[in-house]
Amino acid sequence: MDAEASELRARLAAAVHALNHGGGHHHDPSARLAANQWLLALQRSPQAWGVATSLLAAPPPGHPPPPADLLFFAAQMLRRKIQCPPAAAGGCPTPQEVAHLLDALLLAAGRFCLGPPRLLTQISLALAALALRAEGGVDGLFARMRHLPDPAVMELLTVLPEEVVQDQSGDTGVDAAARCRFTRELMAHAPAVLEFLLAQSENTAAAADGVPLHERNRRILRCLLSWVRVGCFSEMPAAALAAHPLLTFAFNSLQVSFSFDVAVEVMTELVSHHQDLPQAFLSKMPYIREALLLPALANRSEKTIAGLVCLMSEVGQAAPALVAEGSVQALALADALLRCSLAHFILDSDAQTEKRNAAQEIFSPVFSSLLDALLFRAQIDTDVHGTDGELCIPDGLAQFRMNLEELLVDICLLLGAPAYINKLFSGGWGLASQSIPWKEVEVRMYALSMVYKSFGDVIGSYSKLLASSQSNIKPLLLFCASGILKSISSNACSLALRKLCEDGSSFMNEPQNLEILFWISEGMDAGNLRIEDEEEIISAITHALCSVLDKELRKSSLARLLCSSYTAVEKLIDIDRDQSLRQNPAAYTEALNLAVHGLYRMGALFGHLATSITSSLIDDDTVLVLLGIFWPLLERLSRSSHMENVSLSAAACRSLSSAIHSCGQHFQILLPKVLECLSTNFLLFQRHDCFLRTAASVIEEFGHKEEYVALCVRTFEALSSAASISTLNSSYTCDQEPDLVEAYANFTSTFIRCCPKEAIVASGSLLELSFQKAAICSTAMHRGAALAAMSYMSCFLDVSLAAALESREHPSDGSPGVVLAQILARCGEGLMSNVLYALLGVSALSRVHKSATILQQLAAVCSLCERTTWKAIISWDSLCRWLQSAVKSMPSEYLRQGEAEMIVPLWLNVLHDAASDYLHSRTGDNVRNNHAYMQGKGGRTLKRIVRDFAESHRNAPMPCPS
């Protein structure tokens, strides 16, 4: 060995030692990092081939062998280099080098056939990877394999099929054709492999090859498992397979603890791959039950129990028809089946009714025992309670319970509902001499509720059929009413109630049915249900009440339904008069929670009324009665200190928005009070964005009316004066308050889109300020905040262009077009700069479409004004100046060399064409085609260059524009 190679080996040994042993006694992290970097570089170099193979070769006489970790690294490095593409592996070895490498690896496999085990595995994996890549590699390897010791042959045969079953980690550069060729060549040797394994299994001489007998048997099973997975028995007749000695060997290995787990895997794979095997396995079931399962249960051997259950479940899944015949062997197997495949087969069987009933009767004791076992397993085995006083259920147990639903329903159907319920209530808890086992009671009630949930799903699915008969309505309503009270089944029964009220609405006006509906609604005052379920229930009942034919009864019924949610809110308001309740945090929190639920229920009622009001099913008198109940209560609540609570204010705003959308014109007289309440509360609680969102809903509904211009402008002014809005002057602040940014941008978009011209003229300074803030917020890292700000700028530009098109012939100083053009003239440079900055960094791609649209709209405004007397305010030259200034102000490190000089002329040329597209889309018949501007060549080209800019600057940091 020359000096250079010796030095490289020494450096490699030192690096591996530093990596694995921390670089010495002081465990210097930098030494480990440096070693890792050097080893990665070596692995990519051509020199790695030689140094790795030399390490695996026998050392010269008188030299100690390399340490085990160095040998392992050398074998692993060779495997990775073989699996990597040539460019990543430091070049492709020549055919002579490949032959030399094959010889070296085979010699190493023989040398290390007795260990260390993981070293032999790495060498075998390298040989398998080499065979995969060479034409005829498998045949060549098998020809050379006969000269290896048996342990080396066994390990190599074990890893070879893994190249077929799954792509190895990091194994790249092998196409599908090469892998198919490898598979064909490998399977041609399957008979020889099975003969080798059979000979090894029959060799009972202890340590004949230096490997203990129990270890050799385990290796045989591992090798057999690999070949079973690639279909080594696929060409063998069913009878021959069932009688094959290797199957007997695998079955006998189930009785040996050292090889039990691998034997289970082998048998499971065989059963799942070969449909004729379950019959043969079933004949051995009584023996397995008596000799393996029952002793394991007695000894609490979880490993054996789990393995046998897995295997027997696989048999049940593979051949349920055999099991359902009810033979002695099938009954023995059924004792361990913990899945519902058997139950499904019996219940869904197409066999004659008598035969199916006979099967159910035969298996009833099995499923009764299974129910007992499941109830025992599903019990809560902890006494830990949460803050709400409820028992804490561990996540694993909660998931196990949820997985039981289908199985419990099948057991209920097999046993029959009376027998199932009797089974659940047969605990003898009524005896006075016994203490009540509450955990057992709880799990049995859970099992009953779970079946209740499933039956609720069935009622919802078949509601049209079930609700077609009036005699069904009352019992179905009662079923839903009782199921709603149980947390497990509340959602399913809520949905079922909705479907019943929709499909059976013509029968709901019966007094007894109405009383059941009111009983359900008034029972929600406890606040035990999810808000989503309560909203579903109220919507269902509202639908039913709207179908009541008698006008007075309909009006009084809807008022009663609304009042059922009224009480909880009123109780909370009354707390302000009794401060003692404030001193009890638990009581106050409960009162808040109940009020929140009540407000959401009110909102659900008004939300569902919208359709009925539109279709004239609900008259004006009924709407006024409901508003007379709702608004005074909400007004009192809005003036209370409780609105400080985020959840309560959100619920109040949600119900108010629903009422506004539903009642429409009936709310007009209340508008001044409504907007005053919203503005006042936002100024008091400036982090509650729900007030901004609800104000936007009011503007959207009524802002177009000229009589409300002054009211809308006052509201805009009040909301914009809040300190939380004033501080939105940097992207950092926007990222701290993304919900507030989105809500304010939504409000300003609604204002400029819905309000009359007079409102726009009167609020020019407010619009300019909001536009500047939106430009800043467009550079925020938070995607939602940035896109909301961009949406407002796009809306602003669209309205500006519409105003310019409308008044370009006769512009006046006080027109909306002039006001908006003046705002753009003052804010255009900042807009352009912020849009460019928004296209930098990893978040930029999500903003490409909005940015391209804004630039196209801005170019269209400038192009249009160029042709009018507004040219003195804003023109094409303005756009040119803004773009030049924005590019010039960007730090040089964010642009490539020469990019600044290239961007301005390229973008201006594209913007000119894009502006023409946009103006064309806004004239004549094109106005009806939304987004037609994006279909023109100029618009498409603009979007492409904007995307290219964003993609080429993805790795740039996200700076704040100055």
Side-chain angles (χ1 to χ4, degrees), residues 866-885:
E866 179 79 19
R867 312 169 200 172
T868 68
T869 56
W870 292 3
K871 183 176 181 180
I873 303 175
I874 185 173
S875 64
W876 189 256
D877 287 341
S878 305
L879 183 70
C880 297
R881 287 197 313 273
W882 298 338
L883 181 59
Q884 289 170 344
S885 175

Side-chain angles (χ1 to χ4, degrees), residues 678 681-694 696 718-730 732-749 770 773-774 777 780 782 784-786 788-789 792:
L678 292 171
N681 275 288
F682 181 65
L683 293 175
L684 288 172
F685 314 113
Q686 297 187 19
R687 295 296 182 268
H688 293 13
D689 57 276
C690 58
F691 298 118
L692 283 171
R693 298 183 191 277
T694 308
L719 296 174
S720 299
S721 67
S724 59
I725 301 298
S726 302
T727 57
L728 296 177
N729 50 19
S730 71
Y732 174 79
T733 309
C734 297
D735 284 325
Q736 301 304 305
E737 298 288 351
D739 293 339
L740 194 64
V741 172
E742 290 186 47
Y744 187 64
N746 178 53
F747 174 83
T748 50
S749 296
S770 64
K773 291 184 181 300
C777 291
H782 191 278
Y792 168 51

Side-chain angles (χ1 to χ4, degrees), residues 821-902:
Q822 290 172 339
I823 293 174
L824 285 176
R826 290 189 289 268
C827 300
E829 183 175 345
L831 168 62
M832 183 67 73
S833 178
N834 281 287
V835 168
L836 283 180
Y837 276 100
L839 292 172
L840 299 176
V842 294
S843 305
L845 288 178
S846 63
R847 306 170 193 185
V848 165
H849 179 77
K850 291 282 188 186
S851 299
T853 302
I854 289 170
L855 290 173
Q856 187 176 17
Q857 290 172 314
L858 183 61
V861 172
C862 292
S863 178
L864 179 65
C865 293
E866 179 79 19
R867 312 169 200 172
T868 68
T869 56
W870 292 3
K871 183 176 181 180
I873 303 175
I874 185 173
S875 64
W876 189 256
D877 287 341
S878 305
L879 183 70
C880 297
R881 287 197 313 273
W882 298 338
L883 181 59
Q884 289 170 344
S885 175
V887 172
K888 185 178 180 180
S889 66
M890 293 187 74
S892 58
E893 60 267 27
Y894 298 124
L895 296 175
R896 298 189 301 271
Q897 186 174 5
E899 189 176 15
E901 293 76 12
M902 177 270 295

Side-chain angles (χ1 to χ4, degrees), residues 773-834:
K773 291 184 181 300
I776 294 171
C777 291
S778 69
T779 65
M781 291 293 290
H782 191 278
R783 182 174 181 270
L787 293 181
M790 287 182 155
S791 294
Y792 168 51
M793 291 192 293
S794 180
C795 183
F796 186 101
L797 289 165
D798 194 54
V799 172
S800 301
L801 187 64
L805 286 169
E806 182 180 340
S807 57
R808 59 180 168 175
E809 301 298 331
H810 305 286
S812 61
D813 291 341
S815 70
V818 171
V819 172
L820 296 174
Q822 290 172 339
I823 293 174
L824 285 176
R826 290 189 289 268
C827 300
E829 183 175 345
L831 168 62
M832 183 67 73
S833 178
N834 281 287

